[in-house]
Amino acid sequence: MKKLAIITASLALLATPALAQSTSTSTTTTAPAAATTGAAPAEAKYSTVSKDEMFSSKLKGLNVTNQANETVGEISDLAIKNNQVDALILSVGGFLGVGERYVAVSPASVKVSLKDDKWVASMNTTKDALKAAPEFKYPK
């Protein structure tokens, strides 16, 4: 009950407009300075996207094969750091979602290409090597 009262009071304070007080006796008033909390974003820049560019929506769910054309995993997510893809999160092992685990691999270790109008991903590894790799766990 106390928590509800605090939330209600906080919302009431936020909803009330702030009134500026002028101490000047002249007839001209100045607008209060706008408060800023950081630098304004740069003006939007636009790009042209060609049909053969990769989209994250096409990567997610893409099977990863090895040189023997065996499926060794599936791309389940992307880890982005400093505006770049830092790792591909692969789900490996398991069957129908049971027993699978996640491994973070460098994007440089996975070759993604367009073959016959279909995206394919491959890497130089085995199922056993990926199963033995350190497990990736999502931060909580």
Side-chain angles (χ1 to χ4, degrees):
M1 187 65 147
K2 188 177 184 180
K3 189 175 183 181
L4 180 62
I6 292 172
I7 292 171
T8 304
S10 298
L11 289 174
L13 285 173
L14 289 173
T16 309
L19 300 174
Q21 194 174 20
S22 175
T23 57
S24 172
T25 57
S26 69
T27 57
T28 59
T29 59
T30 58
T36 58
T37 58
E43 186 175 327
K45 295 180 182 180
Y46 301 96
S47 297
T48 303
V49 180
S50 66
K51 70 174 188 165
D52 60 341
E53 289 189 49
M54 173 51 73
F55 296 93
S56 62
S57 60
K58 299 293 182 192
L59 271 177
K60 189 171 180 177
L62 192 61
N63 287 329
V64 180
T65 59
N66 61 13
Q67 301 81 0
N69 206 27
E70 299 171 318
T71 300
V72 294
E74 178 182 297
I75 299 173
S76 64
D77 213 343
L78 306 173
I80 299 172
K81 183 179 182 180
N82 298 325
N83 298 323
Q84 295 183 44
V85 176
D86 186 48
L88 298 176
I89 310 301
L90 304 182
S91 69
V92 296
F95 181 72
L96 297 175
V98 178
E100 74 181 351
R101 57 191 224 99
Y102 298 104
V103 176
V105 298
S106 166
S109 64
V110 179
K111 180 184 176 192
V112 179
S113 58
L114 188 61
K115 184 177 181 181
D116 299 325
D117 289 330
K118 183 178 177 184
W119 288 102
V120 294
S122 62
M123 64 186 303
N124 186 12
T125 192
T126 64
K127 288 181 184 181
D128 291 334
L130 285 175
K131 286 179 185 178
E135 183 175 8
F136 169 79
K137 292 190 180 190
Y138 284 94
K140 293 184 181 192

